[in-house]
Amino acid sequence: MTELELPPGPRASERVRDLMARMTLEEKLAQIVGFWEKSEGEAVAPLQGEFEAPRGLDDSIGDGLGHLTRVYGTRPVDAAERAAWLWDKQRWFVNETRLGIPALVHEECLTGLSAWGAATFPTPLAWGSSFDPDLVTRMGELIGGSMRTLGIHQGLAPVLDVIRDPRWGRVDECISEDPYLVGTLGTSYVRGLQSTGIHATLKHFVGYSASQSGRNFGPVHIGARELADVLLVPFEMGVLDGAVRSVMSSYNEIDGVPVAADPDLLTGLLRERWGFDGTVVADYFGVAFLQLLHHTAGDLGEAAGQALAAGVDIELPTGDAYLGPLAAAVRAGTVDESLVDRAVLRALAQKEELGLLDATFEDAPPTEVDLDSPAHREVAALLAERSIVLLSNDGTLPLAPDARVAVIGPNADRAAALFGCYSFLNHVLAHHPDAAVGIETPTVLEALRAEHTGGEITSTPGCAVDDDDRSGFDAAVAAASAADVAVLVVGDHAALFGRGTVGEGCDRDDLELPGVQRQLVEAVLATGTPVVLVMLTGRPYAVDWALGRCAAAVQAFFPGEEGGNAVAGVLTGRVNPSGRLPISMPRSAGAQPYTYLHPALGGDGDVTNLSTVPTLPFGHGLSYTSFTHTDLRVAPGASTRDVLTVTVTVTNTGDRAGADVVQVYGKDVVASVTRPVAQLLGYHRIELAPGQSADVELAVPAARLAFTDRSGRRVVEPGELEVWIGSSCAQRDVEASVELVGETYPVTLDDPRWTGVTVR
């Protein structure tokens, strides 16, 4: 056996090395694969029926096991009963396998623990709308606490893919189009989850969201500069600032090289440059896809060799390539066993870190489990309320207390409309239609009935989410005509692999509202009754045709189990909306891919006849009160290696309490390569009473301005920097110009990236 280190970072302990030295090849391979107990029809991963040979847990893996895959999250099971099953199986590993090593249990936890009866929080795109990292941390702590109670060790979240094209189906799993917002909120989630002893997993490393034409698994055509300056930034923050313990390789290729077989990314960058010393896990079936989809490997053994050499330590969710095919390749001499040893050392080191090497499971499993406690509901409600974006309003909202309201639309009374693709309801229960939801999920209609008690409410769906049946239009028109206000609740259905309008494998050719929902909106608008458009979606849609004609418009990105109550609260005025768009609201599908982080020629100008300006910009969001930003101060003497201190006075000039999101933007006026016309440098959410003012001071590290120069270095260059604060990236409420002095500064890994905030 070749003597290996875990490069870079701490060496594996002597205990771990001694343990591996006693292993047979089969016992080593068992530690770097998962096992998934599932049934036919439970399709929650791409092409999952293409690979594994059936094998039973007790009789086929006597050599041990690395991971147990989705023990709670594959089908609706009682948590306490399943915990008893899990403790029994873990005792089996301890007592019946030769080396007595328990399995590591992993679960999905993107919008909460993916288990029956567990709290389901807003989707990550809603986290982005909240601009509230502290609340995201609290959510992560609650999710981690639930997982730890149930004997789970690793969560497959958060998603740090930066949105590049809203046509891509997995937009609802992402946080934002801005890498700094993704990085701060994603790292906050990591900190919350890992504070409970659960290992978080950054995914999908890297490039997945930049796929060709917004197609799932599509090839990525991207330059090294865009990769470094945009897509890698959140992952770097998650590793360096969040100390994350696991990273998942992505399905995509970049410039012809599949990430799962790219040692430059998975070893050279992630480990040798960033110093990551945790485990790299494959996205489900990603190793086998090197043969099946990428065709860079002739068989599964060769695929296993490529992935191991690149730095993929654990094959999930099963051992299709890393068991029999890899064993044969090692014995044939085509794969060096030292690569296996390296992965096994990392897998065992993770188990040692989690305390699994000392676990006996002789303690009793939990018998009473509350996965949706009042604390869970409180945070779910707060995050939902803070994530809802008021896009437009002519004064119709809040609804008059005695208003006659017609609630219309396919998502008005549909619980599934509140949840994203990776919620248990849409991800798993869709395959078990007879199972109860397991948590309270008041719909928008139900919640509005409970809150709007002074006025009459009528309802009719009008149409379905995604078909061409217009037979309900007449009832919708009649209901709207008889009402003072029509609340029209439209949007998405999240699902998998083409079974929904958004979600994994549910990409779009256009950005129109699905089905005949636009025609329904047009028909209701034609009645002349004021229309409040409420969108429950997993992506932004091109609705410029509606915003100018609707009395008000509200955007909710899958707001979770308390989302119906939150929307109703905004409509009635109980909740003062404070969400901001974490992604530009597109003008058209033809303008995609688009990002507010574009250079000058990526926007409008005289050189083209087509506009790229979005319907609403990144950072936009209205309130029932008003705020002013005045007295912008930028401390003198800013240098390329120092901190830029920006201070602004924020005042609530309205007649009710509310929250403002202070957004600081910058523009590098002249640089050695083209730079964005606007870049978010820092933000802070602040609650103010009517008439209250506060000074908000943001300390922006110079490294926030770093970019990749022509030589491939990440640097901060001297020169003029425009700085402004506004209610969106496109609005300059107050602005200043500052000269960054000094030499061109090559950014190091020790340079801070977080923006410090002081409020006076």
Side-chain angles (χ1 to χ4, degrees):
M1 180 184 70
T2 304
E3 179 71 13
L4 288 173
E5 296 185 4
L6 290 175
R11 295 170 58 92
S13 69
E14 288 304 315
R15 178 185 188 183
V16 163
R17 290 184 174 277
D18 176 70
L19 189 56
M20 190 183 73
R22 292 186 283 123
M23 288 181 170
T24 66
L25 177 60
E26 279 69 26
E27 286 172 331
K28 292 177 184 177
L29 299 180
Q31 289 300 317
I32 57 174
V33 301
F35 176 88
W36 195 3
E37 182 193 49
K38 61 182 180 56
S39 304
E40 289 297 321
E42 295 175 329
V44 294
L47 303 177
Q48 68 183 42
E50 297 291 323
F51 307 107
E52 72 236 67
R55 57 193 177 107
L57 183 56
D58 292 341
D59 58 5
S60 295
I61 51 174
D63 293 317
L65 182 65
H67 281 235
L68 273 169
T69 294
R70 300 189 68 172
V71 169
Y72 298 90
T74 299
R75 63 187 64 88
V77 292
D78 178 82
E81 292 178 4
R82 195 61 169 167
W85 176 93
L86 176 59
W87 259 247
D88 181 64
K89 296 306 176 189
Q90 292 284 38
R91 284 191 291 266
W92 182 86
F93 282 113
V94 171
N95 298 320
E96 302 299 327
T97 62
R98 186 175 74 89
L99 297 171
I101 305 171
L104 188 156
V105 181
H106 76 258
E107 288 288 354
E108 299 286 358
C109 58
L110 186 64
T111 59
L113 171 60
S114 182
W116 190 51
T120 306
F121 296 90
T123 201
L125 199 53
W127 311 353
S129 301
S130 76
F131 281 75
D132 195 333
D134 291 340
L135 191 56
V136 171
T137 298
R138 287 177 58 191
M139 177 186 66
E141 291 168 352
L142 289 167
I143 295 170
S146 295
M147 297 172 76
R148 190 171 180 85
T149 296
L150 294 177
I152 301 164
H153 310 103
Q154 183 170 339
L156 303 187
V159 170
L160 298 190
D161 296 309
V162 179
I163 300 168
R164 305 303 276 172
D165 192 330
R167 296 173 298 178
W168 188 50
R170 303 192 77 167
V171 166
D172 81 287
E173 300 176 50
C174 303
I175 294 170
S176 176
E177 70 179 88
D178 181 84
Y180 180 65
L181 187 58
V182 175
T184 50
L185 292 173
T187 300
S188 295
Y189 178 89
V190 169
R191 288 172 169 169
L193 194 75
Q194 293 195 161
S195 71
T196 68
I198 303 298
H199 284 187
T201 306
L202 306 184
K203 61 184 193 180
H204 309 86
F205 186 79
V206 61
Y208 193 22
S209 56
S211 60
Q212 176 180 297
S213 305
R215 299 296 194 267
N216 199 38
F217 281 45
V220 173
H221 313 295
I222 193 170
R225 181 170 292 104
E226 185 177 351
L227 181 67
D229 294 352
V230 179
L231 299 187
L232 282 170
V233 168
F235 291 96
E236 185 178 21
M237 293 174 69
V239 171
L240 298 180
D241 298 328
V244 76
R245 302 308 299 138
S246 184
V247 172
M248 176 180 283
S249 60
S250 59
Y251 288 132
N252 56 280
E253 65 175 70
I254 300 176
D255 195 24
V257 180
V259 171
D262 190 343
D264 290 337
L265 283 172
L266 297 181
T267 297
L269 176 66
L270 182 61
R271 293 192 182 278
E272 294 174 0
R273 174 160 171 75
W274 290 353
F276 174 71
D277 65 350
T279 56
V280 173
V281 300
D283 203 345
Y284 280 17
F285 307 113
V287 177
F289 286 162
L290 294 175
Q291 178 204 13
L292 183 70
L293 300 180
H294 291 295
H295 307 295
T296 60
D299 55 40
L300 289 177
E302 188 177 351
Q306 290 181 9
L308 276 176
V312 177
D313 303 310
I314 313 292
E315 183 184 16
L316 297 182
T318 53
D320 306 292
Y322 277 14
L323 288 176
L326 180 53
V330 169
R331 291 195 167 99
T334 57
V335 174
D336 193 324
E337 190 172 350
S338 66
L339 294 175
V340 175
D341 293 346
R342 183 176 70 176
V344 172
L345 283 175
R346 292 170 180 160
L348 292 176
Q350 182 183 23
K351 288 189 174 183
E352 182 180 44
E353 183 179 342
L354 287 164
L356 278 169
L357 298 187
D358 295 310
T360 64
F361 292 90
E362 293 303 322
D363 59 318
T367 56
E368 295 184 7
V369 182
D370 187 355
L371 301 178
D372 193 23
S373 70
H376 289 83
R377 303 292 305 199
E378 178 189 11
V379 171
L382 284 173
L383 189 51
E385 291 170 2
R386 295 177 186 181
S387 72
I388 293 174
V389 186
L390 181 61
L391 302 176
S392 62
N393 185 24
D394 67 0
T396 298
L397 291 181
L399 296 170
D402 60 349
R404 295 172 301 160
V405 181
V407 181
I408 301 166
N411 279 347
D413 197 28
R414 201 172 64 86
L418 302 171
F419 301 103
C421 166
Y422 266 74
S423 66
F424 192 79
L425 189 152
N426 285 327
H427 201 70
V428 177
L429 286 185
H431 305 289
H432 303 272
D434 296 330
V437 172
I439 55 176
E440 291 185 18
T441 56
T443 66
V444 171
L445 175 61
E446 291 168 342
L448 194 57
R449 286 193 190 279
E451 289 209 34
H452 188 68
T453 55
E456 177 187 349
I457 291 181
T458 59
S459 68
T460 184
C463 67
V465 169
D466 195 24
D467 64 25
D468 58 1
D469 184 2
R470 295 171 171 80
S471 61
F473 280 24
D474 289 345
V477 166
S481 299
D484 298 321
V485 178
V487 173
L488 197 45
V489 189
V490 299
D492 277 318
H493 170 63
L496 296 166
F497 315 129
R499 296 191 292 270
T501 60
V502 72
E504 185 174 1
C506 298
D507 311 314
R508 301 285 296 184
D509 276 328
D510 61 58
L511 290 173
E512 291 286 346
L513 290 172
V516 294
Q517 292 184 76
R518 174 170 178 168
Q519 292 90 322
L520 175 66
V521 177
E522 298 273 13
V524 174
L525 282 169
T527 67
T529 299
V531 171
V532 175
L533 185 66
V534 177
M535 291 176 283
L536 295 178
T537 68
R539 61 160 61 87
Y541 281 98
V543 291
D544 56 315
W545 55 270
L547 294 186
R549 298 162 61 193
C550 290
V554 174
Q555 175 67 64
F557 292 116
F558 291 148
E561 65 184 20
E562 287 287 342
N565 290 329
V567 170
V570 168
L571 296 178
T572 62
R574 173 179 59 82
V575 174
N576 190 353
S578 58
R580 302 293 187 266
L581 287 176
I583 179 173
S584 308
M585 184 152 281
R587 177 174 298 276
S588 69
Q592 306 311 311
Y594 173 87
T595 172
Y596 92 92
L597 292 163
H598 62 76
L601 286 176
D604 279 14
D606 297 332
V607 296
T608 176
N609 63 313
L610 295 177
S611 176
T612 61
V613 174
T615 299
L616 290 171
F618 173 88
H620 171 81
L622 304 180
S623 170
Y624 293 149
T625 190
S626 55
F627 298 94
T628 60
H629 304 124
T630 57
D631 194 19
L632 176 64
R633 287 147 280 167
V634 180
S639 76
T640 54
R641 62 174 65 212
D642 205 347
V643 170
L644 184 72
T645 302
V646 179
T647 307
V648 67
T649 301
V650 186
T651 305
N652 182 345
T653 57
D655 58 5
R656 65 174 292 177
D660 185 33
V661 177
V662 179
Q663 305 167 47
V664 181
Y665 294 94
K667 176 185 176 182
D668 193 344
V669 177
V670 177
S672 58
V673 298
T674 61
R675 301 294 296 136
V677 296
Q679 177 187 358
L680 183 68
L681 300 181
Y683 64 89
H684 180 65
R685 179 188 174 88
I686 183 170
E687 305 266 353
L688 294 172
Q692 183 182 6
S693 293
D695 281 352
V696 176
E697 180 183 286
L698 296 102
V700 181
R704 289 285 303 117
L705 300 165
F707 62 89
T708 303
D709 70 6
R710 297 190 185 196
S711 68
R713 300 179 307 164
R714 283 183 59 78
V715 300
V716 181
E717 291 183 344
E720 182 184 1
L721 177 71
E722 294 177 359
V723 179
W724 69 94
I725 290 175
S727 53
S728 74
C729 68
Q731 180 69 35
R732 297 192 179 197
D733 296 343
V734 283
E735 57 186 310
S737 178
V738 62
E739 191 78 14
L740 290 183
V741 299
E743 301 295 325
T744 296
Y745 175 64
V747 173
T748 71
L749 296 180
D750 295 328
D751 287 311
R753 286 151 178 79
W754 288 74
T755 301
V757 180
T758 302
V759 179
R760 299 190 298 276

